[in-house]
Amino acid sequence: MQSDTIHLIGVYLKTTAKAWFQYRVDAVMRSLAVFLREATGVVVIYLTLMKFQSLNGWNVYEMLFLCSLLFLTYGILIIFFTGLRDFGNTVRKGEFDRYLLRPRGLLFQIIFVNADWFAAVGHGGLGISLFLITADKVGVVWNVGTILYYLFAVLGGVLIQGAIFLLLAALNFYLLETDSLKELLYYDMKKFAAYPISIYSKVIQICMIYVVPFAFVNYFPAQFFLRKQDGAVYPFACLYLTPVVGGGMYLLAYLFWRYSIRYYKSSGN
């Protein structure tokens, strides 16, 4: 990557951060609101496990460790993929035409021109908080190997979710409106991922492993560290495939994006 490109990325991120946090009190309150909104689901899990002790063999700290990966990866994801998350509005309002006239790559512009910093701080802050609370309570031995695995697992989880957003963004060239698909394929499946996939029916498990592979975002990485008994029914290799699945999915989504751009028709303004 050329030095000017790296510099431009830094400028984009700095500019978007300044824009989102120009009113600091409001920004802090909005970020806190996101944090508290997402934390309500964590509180439900905590209270449930305080009553029933475990869920299919997972205790409260192990469940919160599972959730921490989900929140942390989304917090990182939304810094770079807000433009793809909201790409439907960009196409419908005709704003995509502006990107076509600029000298930089289309996907580069969409990824770096905006970032939902409130969601990033809220989700990412919750993910980091849950990790700090549970990291020393789930029996994980942290060393160079486990730290490197964790970093690559987080990267793979971000790429998996980014690939889903990129795929849905490319579908906007054909369908114009993909909000319902986004709700079904991303947000609904993400809700399932807050719990061990082993508690669901076989159909849901297959969807979360092979169709919309949220299992590789947090379940299999968590299994690498925790080695819970419910994970024995899945191929052992799944514990190591998160970066591979993430990279492969993103490459396929990118190729589909490049192919689909030719079908773009401006919707005007």
Side-chain angles (χ1 to χ4, degrees):
M1 186 178 294
Q2 297 179 353
S3 59
D4 64 325
T5 302
I6 296 175
H7 174 71
L8 184 58
I9 291 173
V11 171
Y12 271 134
L13 293 177
K14 184 178 180 180
T15 302
T16 56
K18 282 186 175 180
W20 282 75
F21 290 98
Q22 60 181 319
Y23 303 108
R24 295 182 181 179
V25 174
D26 179 69
V28 169
M29 296 304 296
R30 285 173 180 254
S31 299
L32 181 61
V34 174
F35 181 98
L36 294 175
R37 181 193 69 198
E38 299 302 324
T40 56
V42 176
V43 171
V44 170
I45 293 174
Y46 180 82
L47 294 177
T48 300
L49 290 176
M50 286 294 96
K51 181 176 179 63
F52 297 103
Q53 302 302 314
S54 68
L55 180 65
N56 203 23
W58 292 67
N59 65 37
V60 63
Y61 291 112
E62 291 165 342
M63 284 290 299
L64 296 183
F65 182 77
L66 180 73
C67 289
S68 72
L69 283 162
L70 195 61
F71 288 115
L72 179 59
T73 54
Y74 186 82
I76 298 171
L77 166 85
I78 210 60
I79 295 175
F80 301 102
F81 292 94
T82 298
L84 291 175
R85 182 196 66 182
D86 303 333
F87 189 68
N89 290 330
T90 301
V91 172
R92 288 191 295 272
K93 293 178 180 178
E95 296 176 356
F96 186 60
D97 295 358
R98 292 183 301 170
Y99 299 131
L100 294 170
L101 300 175
R102 295 172 180 171
R104 288 289 175 177
L106 293 173
L107 192 56
F108 177 89
Q109 296 180 68
I110 293 167
I111 287 177
F112 292 108
V113 295
N114 196 14
D116 187 345
W117 284 100
F118 301 155
V121 173
H123 285 83
L126 182 57
I128 292 172
S129 299
L130 292 175
F131 175 79
L132 293 176
I133 291 170
T134 61
D136 64 340
K137 298 182 182 297
V138 293
V140 177
V141 177
W142 294 102
N143 52 44
V144 174
T146 52
I147 292 173
L148 285 175
Y149 176 91
Y150 186 87
L151 294 176
F152 277 105
V154 169
L155 174 61
V158 170
L159 288 176
I160 288 170
Q161 296 172 80
I164 297 171
F165 278 160
L166 182 54
L167 172 65
L168 291 169
L171 287 175
N172 276 283
F173 295 130
Y174 305 96
L175 305 176
L176 197 61
E177 173 62 70
T178 60
D179 287 348
S180 296
L181 273 177
K182 187 192 306 178
E183 192 69 30
L184 175 64
L185 296 179
Y186 185 80
Y187 292 108
D188 287 346
M189 297 305 291
K190 184 182 175 186
K191 292 175 184 177
F192 285 123
Y195 298 87
I197 65 171
S198 58
I199 70 173
Y200 300 118
S201 68
K202 288 295 182 182
V203 173
I204 298 297
Q205 292 182 44
I206 290 172
C207 286
M208 296 188 68
I209 295 174
Y210 300 107
V211 181
V212 187
F214 262 102
F216 291 96
V217 174
N218 64 338
Y219 178 75
F220 288 126
Q223 280 287 10
F224 173 85
F225 293 107
L226 305 178
R227 302 300 169 100
K228 305 299 295 180
Q229 292 185 353
D230 64 310
V233 299
Y234 308 108
F236 183 75
C238 289
L239 303 185
Y240 298 90
L241 290 181
T242 293
V244 177
V245 173
M249 279 187 65
Y250 193 82
L251 176 60
L252 291 175
Y254 175 72
L255 293 174
F256 181 63
W257 162 270
R258 289 292 300 271
Y259 173 80
S260 300
I261 288 175
R262 68 186 71 180
Y263 295 100
Y264 171 68
K265 294 181 181 179
S266 178
S267 61
N269 52 41

